Each structure stands twice: as structure tokens, then as C-alpha cells.
Amino acid sequence: MTPKFSLQPVLDYRETRVEILEIELGRLVQSQQRGKTFLEALQSSRSRLLEEMGKQQVGDIDLFMLSRLRSNLQTVNQRIAEQEARLAELAQKISEKQQEIVLAKQDAEALVKLKEHELQRYRKEEAHRENRLQDDIYISRAFRRSNGAA
């Protein structure tokens, strides 16, 4: 029976931490994707407003409608800028989370290697112990034979 790894609770904690960080990263990436989709919708809205403004400037000009479209365009442009800022912030958070995951995985991997090293040392000791026992058995049999033959 192999001995229990004394740092197993720490290893379990670090592996759980990696999993939690990966879940958090997944949520951030998902949020980023939703943000990109929203940004695309805003940009599409801006294109429609610009197109509508172009149509309104042909023929009879409705100043009230142009004013309303211009106001809407300013609002959409402001929301686009805000969304781009949010996406830049999310990209930074994602980068930081990825770095956290790398460090957490390195910490866990160090303990896994330590555990493997400890297991190899134990197996070598067991093999050495078994070899000594086998040698003792052979020596004992040889001694009995030599005493029995004498």
C-alpha cells in the first residue's frame, strides 16, 4: 500500500483553484463575446442612422427629423465608445485571469511532480526492501542446506 501524500490537501486545493479560475475565465470570455455582439449591434445602428440622415438630406429637408437623428447618432456614438472601453477592460481582465491560471497550474504541477517523486522514492525503497528479504530467504535456505548436509 502506497503511503498517503502528505501535501495532498494542498494539491487538491490548488487543483480546485485552477478549476475555479478556468470557470471565471470562461465567464469573462462569455461576457466579452456578449459585449462584442452588443458593439456590433450599436455599430449597425450607427450605420442605419447615418444612412437615414443621408436620405433626409435629399430633397425636402426636415430639420426636426435631422436634429433627432443627429441626437440619436451622438447617443449611439457615446454608447459605442463606452462599450469599446468595457471591452478593453474585459480584455485586460481576461489577460490577467489567464496569467493567474498559468501560475496556479504551475503551482499545482510542482506539487504533482513532488508527489510523483515521493511515489518513485517509495517504490525504490520497497523494491530494495523486497530484494533484501529475498536475499535473506536465499541465505537462510543456503544455511539450512549447509547445516543439513553437514
Side-chain angles (χ1 to χ4, degrees):
M1 184 169 105
T2 60
K4 184 173 171 150
F5 181 53
S6 61
L7 296 175
Q8 188 63 44
V10 177
L11 176 59
D12 293 342
Y13 167 78
R14 288 189 178 172
E15 288 175 341
T16 301
R17 179 160 163 65
V18 168
E19 291 171 8
I20 290 169
L21 289 172
E22 287 173 340
I23 290 169
E24 290 173 0
L25 176 63
R27 287 183 181 143
L28 286 172
V29 168
Q30 203 174 39
S31 181
Q32 182 185 45
Q33 188 58 43
R34 284 192 308 268
K36 285 180 179 180
T37 302
F38 182 60
L39 179 62
E40 289 170 5
L42 287 171
Q43 290 170 337
S44 175
S45 179
R46 178 174 57 187
S47 295
R48 282 192 309 275
L49 285 170
L50 289 171
E51 186 178 311
E52 184 63 29
M53 284 178 73
K55 288 179 184 176
Q56 288 294 323
Q57 293 175 359
V58 175
D60 291 336
I61 296 177
D62 184 354
L63 292 178
F64 176 73
M65 180 60 84
L66 272 176
S67 175
R68 216 174 84 209
L69 288 171
R70 189 173 296 117
S71 174
N72 288 346
L73 182 62
Q74 287 174 343
T75 302
V76 168
N77 282 335
Q78 181 181 358
R79 292 187 73 192
I80 286 173
E82 291 169 358
Q83 189 63 23
E84 286 174 341
R86 281 189 204 111
L87 286 173
E89 184 181 323
L90 268 174
Q92 179 64 30
K93 285 181 180 179
I94 287 171
S95 177
E96 290 170 1
K97 193 61 68 175
Q98 288 171 333
Q99 187 62 32
E100 273 186 79
I101 289 173
V102 167
L103 294 174
K105 282 184 178 182
Q106 287 174 346
D107 288 345
E109 187 61 32
L111 284 176
V112 167
K113 286 184 180 185
L114 185 61
K115 180 179 180 177
E116 290 171 358
H117 179 70
E118 192 174 298
L119 185 60
Q120 286 175 350
R121 186 176 50 81
Y122 171 78
R123 287 181 179 155
K124 284 180 184 177
E125 287 175 3
E126 281 297 303
H128 185 66
R129 196 172 305 127
E130 286 178 21
N131 287 340
R132 279 189 306 193
L133 286 174
Q134 195 68 33
D135 288 347
D136 288 347
I137 290 170
Y138 290 144
I139 290 169
S140 169
R141 285 182 186 165
F143 182 73
R144 274 191 243 133
R145 281 191 204 128
S146 68
N147 282 344

